Amino acid sequence: MIAVFNRELKAYFSSILAWVLVAVYLLIVGFIVAFSIEDFADISMAAMQGGRPASAMEQLVPPLLTTMGFLLLFFLPLLTMRLFAEERRSGTLDLLLTYPLTEAQILAGKFMAALTVVGMMLAFTLSGFVMLGRLTPLDWPVLGIGYLGLLLLSAAFLAFGMWASSLTSSQLVAAVVTYGGLLMLWILSGVDRSGALKERFGDLSALAHLTNLTKGVLDTQDLVYFLALATLFLFLTARVLESRKWRG
Amino acid sequence: MISADRLTKRFGDHTVVDSVTFEVEKGEILGFLGPNAAGKTTTMKMLTCYFPPSEGTARIAGFDVVAESLQVRRMIGFLPENVPLYPEMTVREYLEFAAAAKSVPHADRRQAVTQALDRCNLGEVESQLIGTISRGFRQRVGLGQAIINNPPVLILDEPTVGLDPAQIRDIRELIKELGRTSTVILSTHILPEVSLTCNRVVILHKGRIREVDTPENLTAKLQTVNTVRLQVRGPQEEVQSALGQVQGVQSVTRLEESGSEGALFRVQVPRNLEVRGELSRLIVQKGWDLLELHPEGISLEEVFLNVVQREVETNQGGEAA
Ligand SMILES: Nc1ncnc2c1ncn2[C@@H]1O[C@H](COP(=O)(O)OP(=O)(O)OP(=O)(O)O)[C@@H](O)[C@H]1O
Ligand SMILES: [Mg+2]
């Protein structure tokens, strides 16, 4: 697993893609943080006049984290699209599968490499909050839970993207399928106006579960939701890899 | 070391490998020879545990390719056809990856990589990106990853395809050398390859084994006529007709490249008939000069075409009946 992990990580950073993705993501998050601080300044002015001080942890941080999560939806498919599609296209997957590695080791290596890149990306965004912390008091444990939410969300997104990538030898197809699937997942609660789905399955929308975590609410339901999604798609990816054995 | 028992692979209704049975002894180099779509690659993919056979079994060093896939994969080095590699890695990085992925212990990896670089003559490109090296070097890198953990079994799918003659010779030498310590199966549709590198040949055609033998035996077995090549100084027409009258001679052809030194003739007689003595006596009696006389072996190329041809004829016969 370590061998595959190292190779994938090197591949991310030796191609310019990972650097560009991280840089652009940081740039956008930086913008958003800057603007929301300004907004927050206005809000707190108004709130002061009303006699009740505004709280950054209530009014500023959760929407900020949610937006960061939403942005991940656009960035992560670009990280996962090549994981298997490219190896399938070039034929290296055929060789890799004859190495003494299990399918689980191969996909764990790839998944952890992608997660590491996202982890780095998110770690850099913390600098924005450090600056914010100088302006207004922040509750770091609560913020930590928010970040855990983002990381879990990423795990689920990456697993889904990796599964899409394992289905095809075209990176583009993998990316499109991933965008489609993740967007569906995100807007599910918005679409399900009547609440019929929600009644039956609980809330399936990624947005709803992330929102809880951004507020610092550590509910097992939300953790289970993301972990289950990640596990499901990792499992499905393994099935796809094994499918060569019973096809034909 | 390797044994395949009625190995069969079907894709849908299409039987691509049909009940293939063979054995490879330790230290042997076995050649799979066959035209396109003969099923060479498919057989190799079953042996390397890429996919399981639809029917039949295969064992490598006693391990079953389906039930003990992981053990089998530890024992083999595989060079797939077209040598898929990661273009964004340097040669050294790639071999380090292969060593790690094949669980070469951490302490021995450096040594293993150095040895592979050395054996495959990769020193001059070791820090070059794989995407930028030439075809010949790619092929060597492919071999390098196959041998990185000194596997007792090597499976090489068309190891010399697309190389120039000098490279082909080098790679053949390398394979022969590897054959001293490992058991090797290689596939090719280039015929001289098998006679030059292999101890034994399996001729595959349409998924079935047509022949298994040493290159020499195959040649002997499938030879239907003996050919003798003669160079004679004398009146050409007369020589030709005289040769044609020798008992048992089926045909005499005068070859185009006949020079001033005397005409070249090719004389064909049924297999097992020895006419060289009689031919030479005849020429001397007539007072002509015999400049050259030697038997021509039939090439593996012809053997191969014979096997394939026989197949076609049998099929046509079957359809007519
Ligand atoms: N995954 C697959 N699905 C369906 N058919 C396949 C598959 N792989 C191979 N085949 C078919 O099996 C047949 C044999 O293919 P194979 O690659 O084993 O031939 P080969 O002897 O290696 O030929 P070549 O010399 O061209 O490499 C071909 O007709 C091919 O189309
Ligand atoms: Mg082939």
Side-chain angles (χ1 to χ4, degrees), chain A residues 153-207:
Chain A
L153 175 87
S154 303
F157 281 11
L158 291 175
F160 182 86
M162 193 161 80
W163 171 71
S165 181
S166 74
L167 292 172
T168 167
S169 56
S170 156
Q171 297 194 36
L172 205 61
V173 170
V176 170
V177 170
T178 313
Y179 280 125
L182 297 187
L183 266 171
M184 286 277 289
L185 204 60
W186 193 268
I187 62 173
L188 216 52
S189 53
V191 178
D192 183 30
R193 277 176 209 282
S194 68
L197 268 178
K198 193 167 174 171
E199 216 163 87
R200 219 163 296 164
F201 304 108
D203 204 330
L204 289 177
S205 148
L207 175 59

Side-chain angles (χ1 to χ4, degrees), chain B residues 41 81 157-158:
Chain B
T41 301
E81 123 187 280
D157 200 352
E158 308 202 7

